[in-house]
Amino acid sequence: MNDKILKLPDLTLFTVSAIVLLDTLAASASIGASSLTWWLLLGVIFMLPIGLITSELGTTYPAEGGISVWIKQAFGQKWATRAMWAYWINVAIWLPAIFILFAGVFARLFHLDINITQQIIIGIVLTWMSVAVDVFGLKIGKWVPNLGAVLKMVIFGVLILGGFYYAKQNGYANEINAVTLRPEWKDGLKFLPAIIYGMLGFELVSSAGGQIQEPARNVPRAVVLSGVLILGLYFFSNLGILAAIPAGDIDIVDGLIDTLDLFFASTPSGGAIVLLLGIGALYTFWSNGVTWAMGSNRSIAEAASEGQLPAMFAKTHAVHGGPVGAAVLMGFVCTIALVLYGALVSTNEDLFWALFSFSAVIFMLPYIGMVLAFLKLRKIDPDTPRPFRVPGGIWIARILTAVCFLILVMTVFLFLYVPEEGLQKSTLYGVVVVLLMGEGLIFVSQRNRPKL
């Protein structure tokens, strides 16, 4: 029986669905016109290098597990397990942020007055819907991100075309010229990490390496195809939003619907068009969460199956093969995070950013390990065949590793220390707590492992 069910279109759409984030689009646009330059600059010096690094690692070590497999090869099992814990717990904390965004856009779209408690209830329902999809495995679950990727491209296309048309009719809401396009640190530092965040995820399909058809051929192609699509969609959709709304007025939760309203307010059936596009956006928020949950749950289940984490994480569905244990545990963590953070904030925008920044710091840590693993494996495992190799030799590999490492570390710092706001203590404390939890789980699991 051929269980390799992921083809090139699946890999490309899966990657686009994972990386292209409508949820951070408004945050990056709020930087202003300089966000356009940042997208292009970081696309060249960060997204391209990390895509190349991922392609080499994913084709050289195609076993299920993705990042954890690569870090294990380079630094040993314990560091791989730490990275996998950070990867998984990040998704478990990030999903509530996405679902709070879903609830806020839902309320805005249908003109409802929904309080924080009601939004949290919506988030909990969406959480357990995601768990259900993951339990049924990739044969069924892959269609959720595939449809999400198509809808994202439709919505991004509307933002792009609508932006050009709106600017032609009304002029740009923000000046776009050589001066405003110049990268600005002062106003951009708060949301600049959201751009870096929006470029990560090329490795996600490698977590299902055993189910990819011709990985040596299809993984690099999927990275290139999805990378071009992703950067183009981000750049031009940011331009569309900036055409319609002054940067200072962009709401990081309602910005998308505000923009669509402006584009279609004067057109026949404009309200119906905005409603349909808004429903499509809501689906993409959910499908994006499902995509990341499927990848991270499979990776941590692989680590647990080797006895590095509690056995509950390794339980799989008897028929469909989905990671039941990891998915259910993620559902519980999501629910707890929603309830706890909901008690600390007063608005959905505050709740979204609190959860988002908290998860993002943890999210960067496995990628730091990944880029370091790439360079070390070049040194300690040079004889393993590399169906795809980053061109340029060892010095290019060193340069790409250094650049990606520095950008990731800078992003962690900017999430923890926001200019003009200072140290984000709640974020720092939360990160320390979940990392210590991971250390505890690793310690208990390894102590209980049977001696060989």
Side-chain angles (χ1 to χ4, degrees), residues 12-239:
T12 303
L13 291 173
F14 194 96
T15 304
V16 171
S17 181
I19 298 179
V20 173
L21 303 172
L22 284 168
D23 47 289
T24 57
L25 190 59
S28 65
S30 66
I31 297 172
S34 65
S35 67
L36 302 173
T37 306
W38 281 119
W39 276 111
L40 292 179
L41 178 62
L42 291 170
V44 172
I45 69 173
F46 180 72
M47 190 170 81
L48 176 61
I50 209 159
L52 292 172
I53 287 171
T54 304
S55 293
E56 178 171 322
L57 290 171
T59 53
T60 306
Y61 309 98
E64 293 204 20
I67 284 182
S68 66
V69 171
W70 310 332
I71 293 177
K72 178 183 176 181
Q73 291 280 345
F75 301 113
Q77 182 63 68
K78 183 169 283 190
W79 281 108
T81 307
R82 286 174 176 141
M84 214 60 264
W85 168 256
Y87 197 80
W88 182 84
I89 197 68
N90 141 73
V91 176
I93 298 165
W94 171 73
L95 284 182
I98 296 300
F99 297 153
I100 286 299
L101 183 67
F102 179 106
V105 172
F106 180 84
R108 171 76 170 77
L109 193 61
F110 292 98
H111 308 289
L112 302 174
D113 184 16
I114 298 178
N115 60 35
I116 286 292
T117 300
Q118 292 167 324
Q119 292 185 39
I120 289 171
I121 292 171
I122 291 174
I124 292 172
V125 171
L126 293 170
T127 292
W128 290 98
M129 286 174 60
S130 301
V131 170
V133 170
D134 204 4
V135 164
F136 283 107
L138 280 171
K139 190 169 184 180
I140 296 173
K142 74 173 187 176
W143 296 108
V144 174
N146 283 3
L147 177 57
V150 172
L151 288 174
K152 281 182 186 179
M153 286 189 276
V154 170
I155 295 167
F156 273 82
V158 170
L159 289 173
I160 293 166
L161 296 176
F164 283 117
Y165 181 79
Y166 186 89
K168 182 179 179 181
Q169 299 295 315
N170 304 282
Y172 278 92
N174 298 274
E175 289 188 25
I176 311 290
N177 54 47
V179 175
T180 59
L181 287 171
R182 188 172 57 214
E184 290 284 347
W185 286 100
K186 181 180 178 181
D187 297 325
L189 285 180
K190 180 176 181 180
F191 293 116
L192 190 58
I195 295 179
I196 302 297
Y197 190 95
M199 291 180 169
L200 294 171
F202 285 109
E203 81 296 334
L204 203 61
V205 293
S206 296
S207 65
Q211 300 182 61
I212 297 174
Q213 290 186 6
E214 299 182 75
R217 173 178 176 270
N218 287 333
V219 169
R221 290 187 176 189
V223 168
V224 171
L225 288 173
S226 59
V228 171
L229 282 171
I230 289 160
L231 192 57
L233 291 171
Y234 272 138
F235 178 87
F236 288 108
S237 57
N238 265 263
L239 183 58

Side-chain angles (χ1 to χ4, degrees), residues 31 56 63 110 146 172 197 273 297 312 316 341 393 421-422 443:
I31 297 172
E56 178 171 322
F110 292 98
N146 283 3
Y172 278 92
Y197 190 95
I273 295 172
N297 284 333
M312 177 62 185
T316 59
Y341 268 82
E421 295 183 15
F443 175 78

